[in-house]
Amino acid sequence: MLDTKKRKSDGVYYEKIEGSKKKAKHVTAPANDEPSPKPSSSSAQTERAVEENNAAAPRSFQDLGIIDSLCDACKALGYKAPTPIQNQAIPLALQGRDLIALAETGSGKTAAFALPVLQALMDKPQPFFGLVMAPTRELAYQISQAFDALGALISVRTAVVVGGFDMVPQSIALGKKPHIIVATPGRLLDHLENTKGFSLRSLKYLIMDEADRLLDLDFGAIIDKILKVLPRERRTYLFSATMTSKVESLQRASLSNPLRVSISTNKYQTVCTLLQSYVFIPHKMKDHYLVYIMNDFASKSVIVFTRTVNETQRLAILLRALGFGAIPLHGQLSQSARLGALGKFRARSRDILVATDVAARGLDIPSVDLVLNFDLPEKSEMYIHRVGRTARAGQSGHAISMVTQYDVEIWQRIEAALGKKLGEYETHKEEIMVLGERVEEAQKMAVKEMKDLHEQRGTKGATLRGRRVGRGDVGKRGRDEMDREEG
């Protein structure tokens, strides 16, 4: 069912579509009894009212209006039934309307925008039909893979345009006139300004995925430049986990009379199948407790989140020295190394992924048994994104957070945001003390290897600074993107 609710934004009342099992209630006036002004049809921020549909909720992609060939692709990929965001977004997108969709990561957002775009592409195939902008390179590759898989039966051509790679092969890929481009904003603007013969004047669909994070990473000015060279006659989908003031501004600048759907009731909500706990420890014993917990979850799939690149690399070395299959993921790795790390973790050739927050949002990594917050995130919202890497698609999962004497205030903020107190993870001090000698030896090895690594990077950095960066290198904005990405 669709439930309509009314709220006020910047002096304009509009109706918001939300998932609900209840019948829609009549829209009432605001609490101050002032009459609700009618929305202006010319305003880009106005959202049209949608009539309540009393029919039963769709149970298949075919019921949503998706054609048979794409339904077959969904079946081949194991998509048994539409998710809530797909149930709401796809029928509206097929009506040819601009769309704002609010939903958390892992809710099936990619298929929610990919299926309508591919269906429209089949009706009128043309090069440079759709553009998807994503905040990180890993997410861009993941979206591209989804388009390739869903569009395999129609031989859809995609191109990924992201920083961290040579621009020349990307220019060649764009010269082959792909149907769909998936890009990070900085590198896309590099190509629009420097790649001869490349333009998006015929673009039909623009999708901005993880829009709140795109703007958190200060891509706003670059996105504004990109929007200026795109055709006004296009369909635009804006997908975001939260509706911030920056996202509201982007909505007004880029969308025309959009419809809005939302399945998010609380941005700090976690799934009921997630078991959350904490362990309160002295700061100097963090490594010991880490190894103890890794032993508890031996042979399980684990993501360990840290706050810095240096700590990510150090912990991966320390765990490997103790016989664990750990691999690091952070923003200072080369793009091939980052994709390789994700590939090994997905394939379970490595059980432990030690990562910065670059892995906290958007990435679809199935069957993660444990998320361990070695360092607590500064923002409570990031805690939700981190623990959302486990307990996905109805599966169970565990999240454990290390809280030291320096983290009490941060942890209290996280619990306040969650609206509940979490239990303490049971540990045995005697067993932890037994690990002391081995852990300390591994710490020494990690310190030595980190020192060697920093010396190698220093030499390499000096060499790179002596080179003249041109179009064949990563490009200025490509490097800027690497700096922007968290971790």
Side-chain angles (χ1 to χ4, degrees):
M1 291 281 195
L2 298 177
D3 184 26
T4 56
K5 295 182 180 179
K6 182 164 284 191
R7 63 175 256 203
K8 185 176 182 182
S9 173
D10 298 323
V12 176
Y13 290 89
Y14 61 84
E15 295 188 69
K16 180 174 69 174
I17 310 160
E18 293 185 332
S20 173
K21 294 181 181 179
K22 298 180 181 179
K23 221 174 173 182
K25 296 181 180 179
H26 292 294
V27 177
T28 58
N32 59 8
D33 293 327
E34 293 179 6
S36 301
K38 293 182 179 180
S40 168
S41 61
S42 61
S43 172
Q45 67 187 8
T46 302
E47 300 186 9
R48 300 289 192 181
V50 176
E51 295 295 330
E52 172 66 19
N53 182 359
N54 291 322
R59 295 184 178 179
S60 71
F61 288 100
Q62 200 166 27
D63 294 331
L64 298 179
I66 298 300
I67 58 176
D68 290 343
S69 59
L70 290 176
C71 288
D72 292 341
C74 291
K75 290 178 184 177
L77 293 172
Y79 298 171
K80 296 180 181 178
T83 65
I85 190 63
Q86 292 163 2
N87 265 332
Q88 293 191 56
I90 290 175
L92 300 177
L94 293 176
Q95 294 175 17
R97 296 292 301 276
D98 284 6
L99 194 65
I100 301 169
L102 301 181
E104 299 294 341
T105 57
S107 58
K109 289 188 293 181
T110 303
F113 60 73
L115 288 170
V117 171
L118 289 171
Q119 186 153 314
L121 175 65
M122 292 180 70
D123 289 339
K124 295 181 180 179
Q126 69 168 59
F128 304 125
F129 188 80
L131 166 66
V132 185
M133 285 196 285
T136 66
R137 291 167 273 170
E138 285 77 18
L139 181 55
Y141 275 98
Q142 185 173 292
I143 293 170
S144 173
Q145 290 166 0
F147 269 97
D148 286 338
L150 289 169
L153 295 176
I154 59 173
S155 302
V156 68
R157 299 190 306 274
T158 63
V160 180
V161 175
V162 297
F165 280 118
D166 196 310
M167 287 182 67
V168 173
Q170 293 178 356
S171 299
I172 294 171
L174 292 173
K176 294 179 180 178
K177 301 187 182 303
H179 300 113
I180 306 294
I181 299 171
V182 188
T184 47
R187 177 47 63 86
L188 177 65
L189 187 57
D190 271 341
H191 281 287
L192 286 169
E193 292 178 345
N194 299 312
T195 298
K196 188 176 180 180
F198 171 57
S199 80
L200 294 172
R201 287 190 294 269
S202 62
L203 188 78
K204 299 300 182 185
Y205 282 82
L206 168 65
I207 300 101
M208 289 175 278
D209 194 20
E210 300 280 2
D212 52 347
R213 193 172 178 203
L214 275 171
L215 298 172
D216 283 344
L217 296 177
D218 293 330
F219 283 124
I222 295 175
I223 292 173
D224 288 342
K225 291 182 179 179
I226 293 171
L227 291 175
K228 288 178 182 177
V229 300
L230 299 184
R232 290 184 178 274
E233 295 298 321
R234 66 170 193 270
R235 295 277 63 83
T236 303
Y237 304 152
L238 191 153
F239 281 74
S240 180
T242 56
M243 180 56 78
T244 65
S245 58
K246 290 182 179 179
V247 176
E248 290 272 10
S249 299
L250 180 60
Q251 164 203 330
R252 290 192 292 270
S254 59
L255 280 76
S256 174
N257 297 327
L259 297 172
R260 173 170 170 165
V261 298
S262 172
I263 62 165
S264 301
T265 56
N266 178 3
K267 69 177 182 177
Y268 295 112
Q269 185 176 1
T270 56
V271 296
C272 60
T273 54
L274 175 64
L275 180 60
Q276 302 174 78
S277 55
Y278 73 94
V279 54
F280 187 62
I281 57 175
H283 186 271
K284 65 179 181 181
M285 295 294 290
K286 287 181 78 172
D287 288 352
H288 297 73
Y289 277 81
L290 168 67
V291 175
Y292 175 84
I293 294 171
M294 292 302 98
N295 281 329
D296 274 1
F297 286 83
S299 300
K300 300 291 186 180
S301 177
V302 181
I303 300 180
V304 178
F305 280 107
T306 68
R307 195 173 293 163
T308 66
V309 169
N310 198 68
E311 195 71 334
T312 299
Q313 198 72 44
R314 185 188 72 85
L315 288 184
I317 296 169
L318 181 140
L319 289 170
R320 285 200 297 262
L322 292 166
F324 295 98
I327 191 166
L329 176 65
H330 55 75
Q332 290 186 12
L333 292 173
S334 68
Q335 188 59 41
S336 58
R338 289 165 69 169
L339 294 175
L342 280 173
K344 289 176 182 178
F345 185 65
R346 284 192 177 108
R348 294 299 299 271
S349 65
R350 297 289 188 276
D351 293 328
I352 303 171
L353 183 71
V354 188
T356 58
D357 284 331
V358 74
R361 287 182 63 172
L363 299 184
D364 184 18
I365 306 172
S367 303
V368 176
D369 299 301
L370 169 68
V371 167
L372 176 65
N373 289 308
F374 184 83
D375 296 321
L376 292 181
E378 291 288 347
K379 295 181 179 179
S380 301
E381 185 179 346
M382 188 54 69
Y383 171 87
I384 302 299
H385 293 308
R386 286 183 178 187
V387 302
R389 298 306 95 205
T390 185
R392 296 168 74 84
Q395 299 180 17
S396 61
H398 202 143
I400 302 174
S401 298
M402 290 189 174
V403 183
T404 72
Q405 65 269 35
Y406 307 115
D407 304 319
V408 174
E409 184 180 350
I410 297 174
W411 183 245
Q412 288 175 340
R413 288 203 305 267
I414 291 172
E415 286 189 323
L418 293 171
K420 59 184 176 182
K421 294 285 185 181
L422 300 182
E424 190 166 3
Y425 183 75
E426 184 179 355
T427 59
H428 298 89
K429 191 173 181 180
E430 303 80 14
E431 295 180 22
I432 294 168
M433 299 310 295
V434 170
L435 296 170
E437 188 174 336
R438 289 183 59 212
V439 172
E440 288 163 12
E441 193 65 33
Q443 285 174 329
K444 293 177 183 177
M445 292 176 62
V447 169
K448 183 180 182 301
E449 194 165 333
M450 286 296 294
K451 184 178 179 181
D452 294 342
L453 190 62
H454 284 305
E455 288 176 354
Q456 291 172 10
R457 284 181 178 170
T459 303
K460 184 178 179 182
T463 303
L464 287 173
R465 283 192 294 274
R467 292 172 52 192
R468 183 175 182 269
V469 177
R471 282 181 58 196
D473 211 310
V474 297
K476 180 184 183 300
R477 293 191 182 91
R479 296 194 305 277
D480 289 344
E481 283 177 349
M482 297 167 70
D483 293 336
R484 281 190 185 93
E485 289 184 5
E486 296 165 274

